[in-house]
Amino acid sequence: MKKKTIGVLTSGGDSPGMNAAIRAVVRTGIFNGLTVLGVKKGYEGLIHGEIEEMQLSSVADIIHRGGTMLQTARSKEFMTEEGRQKALNIMEVFGMQGLIIIGGDGSFRGALELAKLGAQVIGVPGTIDNDIAFTDYTIGFDTAINTVVDAIGKIRDTTSSHNRANIIEVMGRNSGDISLYAGLAGGAESIIVPEVGYDVDDVCKRIVQGRNRGKLHSIIILAEGVGGAFEMAKTIEEKIGVETRVTILGHVQRGGSPTAFDRVLASRLGARAVELLINGRTARMVGIYKNEIADFDLEEVLKSRKEFSEELYTLARILSI
Ligand code: F6P
């Protein structure tokens, strides 16, 4: 019988741990007697046939590296029916019988469309945003929040020296998880997320209360989905006269060596994705749900909204008074 051939690509925004996931796919595939093809630059590379066979050694020395060795893209052409048909044709030409997509929400929507055209696809959640339903964590989120916590510590030093407030804007698109987890771990005075919104008087009150207790700094973590950091700083200065600076962390959150947590998660999810392809499954997403590696219907995942943890949010508010 002919050896089964599968492909792997990374798509959308990169996230630390994607390399560990690629490594897991390639090595689990080869271990099980499959041929594994690496697709460069996401769906864009798929459409244009930027594909090469991966060997065990192709993924050596990458588990600790940030970014993605396969590179990634947000493909406009793949969003069209014509583009997706081209991608499917290329899969046939290369004898690719299954495809593993490591990426986020947008990448999974593309994967589902491919599945509807008849391709066998499995999604692996890789995004720093942690905004995918049916997985407690996405690959890259843990590294990103550790980067933010590190930044909070540094900003806290200078903020204390100058007796200022500092608004730190973090990524996450429409999800507040980076803000919530990093804010809790970093002891921020205020955590602002799109799921809850905010009242500037409450933010000001917390700053004043902290100062009255002798606090030298005030850290406000603001999710990019809420926005308006500079206006908020101006309002705080006008309302309570506290000098307020803004730090936009940006893409620093997407880079760096993945944490052990992200490497383990990526390894487990990548391996499970290959097993699903071997078992003939399609249109599934692998995830870590209630601490177990599991898989879910991709359409269901995309229809559902990731639950925001009110419990953590309330805890963070209590602990930062
Ligand atoms: O989805 C990951 C993410 O980093 C979001 O948090 C952010 O909104 C977006 O990507 C930034 O995209 P780009 O790298 O294309 O500017």
Side-chain angles (χ1 to χ4, degrees):
M1 201 178 84
K2 206 168 159 284
K3 251 189 2 177
K4 187 172 170 119
T5 299
I6 64 165
V8 56
L9 61 79
T10 48
S11 165
D14 63 351
S15 70
M18 279 185 162
N19 279 328
I22 296 167
R23 174 178 176 271
V25 168
V26 171
R27 295 215 166 145
T28 309
I30 294 174
F31 176 80
N32 284 287
L34 309 182
T35 298
V36 185
L37 303 177
V39 182
K40 292 259 180 184
K41 301 182 194 131
Y43 294 121
E44 195 65 22
L46 182 61
I47 289 171
H48 297 104
E50 290 190 53
I51 294 168
E52 59 189 55
E53 187 173 339
M54 307 289 277
Q55 311 298 341
L56 290 175
S57 57
S58 315
V59 290
D61 205 27
I62 65 165
I63 194 166
H64 59 297
R65 294 188 199 279
T68 159
M69 56 108 55
L70 288 176
Q71 296 191 280
T72 183
R74 302 191 198 273
S75 174
K76 288 213 172 78
E77 197 176 352
F78 189 76
M79 289 186 187
T80 66
E81 240 180 84
E82 211 190 333
R84 288 193 289 273
Q85 191 53 57
K86 273 194 203 168
L88 198 73
N89 295 345
I90 290 285
M91 283 180 73
E92 267 169 32
V93 168
F94 279 78
M96 204 188 285
Q97 294 147 300
L99 178 62
I100 293 172
I101 292 102
I102 307 166
D105 187 76
S107 311
F108 288 173
R109 288 186 198 283
L112 191 61
E113 293 303 319
L114 258 191
K116 285 180 186 160
L117 291 176
Q120 195 191 352
V121 301
I122 304 291
V124 175
T127 163
I128 63 163
D129 297 347
N130 207 33
D131 60 347
I132 310 272
F134 296 109
T135 188
D136 301 334
Y137 301 107
T138 53
I139 298 165
F141 172 68
D142 186 65
T143 307
I145 58 174
N146 275 285
T147 299
V148 177
V149 168
D150 184 51
I152 292 174
K154 288 175 175 157
I155 290 166
R156 187 196 291 257
D157 288 346
T158 167
T159 304
S160 302
S161 305
H162 291 266
N163 211 351
R164 287 174 175 155
N166 200 305
I167 300 170
I168 304 175
E169 187 193 284
V170 297
M171 278 187 167
R173 218 179 278 271
N174 299 314
S175 162
D177 268 20
I178 296 181
S179 180
L180 175 62
Y181 281 74
L184 175 58
E189 276 68 35
S190 284
I191 294 173
I192 304 177
V193 295
E195 291 87 344
V196 180
Y198 74 102
D199 168 12
V200 78
D201 287 335
D202 176 64
V203 175
C204 288
K205 194 166 144 208
R206 285 173 164 263
I207 296 174
V208 173
Q209 280 173 339
R211 289 186 164 236
N212 290 345
R213 285 199 349 261
K215 264 194 186 180
L216 299 176
H217 61 265
S218 299
I219 303 287
I220 299 139
I221 304 286
L222 172 71
E224 67 172 342
V226 176
F230 290 98
E231 298 81 74
M232 190 191 295
K234 202 162 156 256
T235 310
I236 293 170
E237 290 193 349
E238 281 165 7
K239 286 203 172 216
I240 54 172
V242 173
E243 201 180 357
T244 305
R245 292 286 192 264
V246 172
T247 307
I248 298 186
L249 287 181
H251 287 82
V252 72
Q253 296 160 94
R254 286 242 298 264
S257 180
T259 58
F261 180 89
D262 272 330
R263 297 182 202 190
V264 172
L265 179 65
S267 301
R268 296 177 78 191
L269 295 183
R272 178 61 72 92
V274 174
E275 283 163 23
L276 289 175
L277 282 184
I278 291 172
N279 294 331
R281 307 300 302 276
T282 186
R284 308 287 296 171
M285 181 197 80
V286 290
I288 184 158
Y289 194 63
K290 300 189 190 314
N291 228 8
E292 299 270 349
I293 301 295
D295 59 278
F296 303 90
D297 178 64
L298 195 56
E299 194 157 14
E300 194 60 35
V301 169
L302 291 172
K303 271 198 262 164
S304 315
R305 202 178 147 74
K306 172 88 186 259
E307 231 176 274
F308 178 74
S309 176
E310 298 288 345
E311 187 196 331
L312 271 192
Y313 181 78
T314 306
L315 177 67
R317 272 185 74 79
I318 293 170
L319 300 186
S320 63
I321 43 172

